[in-house]
Amino acid sequence: MGEYLRQFISLFISDKCFNEFFVKFNILDADCLKQTISKALGTGIILGSTLVKFPQILKIWNAKSAEGISFLGVLLELIAVTSAASYSFAKGYPFSSWGESCFLMIETAIIGFLILLYSSRLRQANAFAAFYSIAIYMLFNGLIPMSVLWSMQIANVPIVVCGKMIQAAKNYQNGHTGQLSAITVFLLFLGGLARIFTSIQETGDPVIIFTFIMASLSNGILAAQVLYYWKATSEILMKADKKKL
């Protein structure tokens, strides 16, 4: 039983920190505390990411509409999260530092597919799904050189910012946030803030750290818009529901 417990605990702390905490009882070791917090945060983010975009998917699915959501913005976000995941995977970084990207890739791809589907573009939706599946296979099977993956990661900063700002601009033009899920927006914002800390602790990669800083700022703008347009959005969606009745 004790061995199984140690193996479970080792998922969150290194052998060195295990000895510091449970053998030497030095629970105030600064480096181990930061490492343990980072691991716990990373694991929490990964678990949370399994459902972070589920509210957005449900909102589109139930409404049978993607009104107010920019497909280009979603596509750019998909490119960014896919680039980040494939780069981190190829670099061999701990899964706890990037694992949520795997779930965000799937969820964002579903959102992109639904946007096309409910815009009466079934052929484009199927083509999108097929092309993305091929891209995933190539990126995670060593068919793309590391130099290309690094360049893709570098390009993530403008891609992330542009994708979010396109959505922000659409919200501003519409005067509401449409089917954009408030839960998803705020979870992404908070997750990005936590990822800044975990990336510093677990990868030390300045490119990844800067990417999360810019992503958090961009998500923060969307979160602010959700709050600012809350009343207008509620009125628009209520009118849309009444038209369906």
Side-chain angles (χ1 to χ4, degrees), residues 45-58 60 69 74-75 77-78 81-82 99-115 128 132 136 183-184 187-188:
I45 293 170
I46 293 172
L47 292 175
S49 70
T50 60
L51 297 174
V52 69
K53 290 203 170 188
F54 194 61
Q56 181 68 81
I57 294 170
L58 274 182
I60 297 173
I69 301 179
V74 170
L75 180 60
E77 184 179 357
L78 181 60
V81 72
T82 303
E100 80 279 2
S101 297
C102 294
F103 298 102
L104 292 177
M105 284 161 46
I106 297 170
E107 294 163 9
T108 306
I110 291 173
I111 291 171
F113 179 83
L114 290 176
I115 291 173
F128 165 75
Y132 185 64
I136 289 296
I183 296 174
T184 294
L187 286 177
L188 287 173

Side-chain angles (χ1 to χ4, degrees), residues 63 179 234-245:
Q179 296 295 342
S234 298
E235 292 174 354
I236 290 293
L237 295 181
M238 284 180 63
K239 289 179 182 178
D241 288 340
K242 287 180 180 179
K243 287 181 181 179
K244 293 178 182 178
L245 297 176

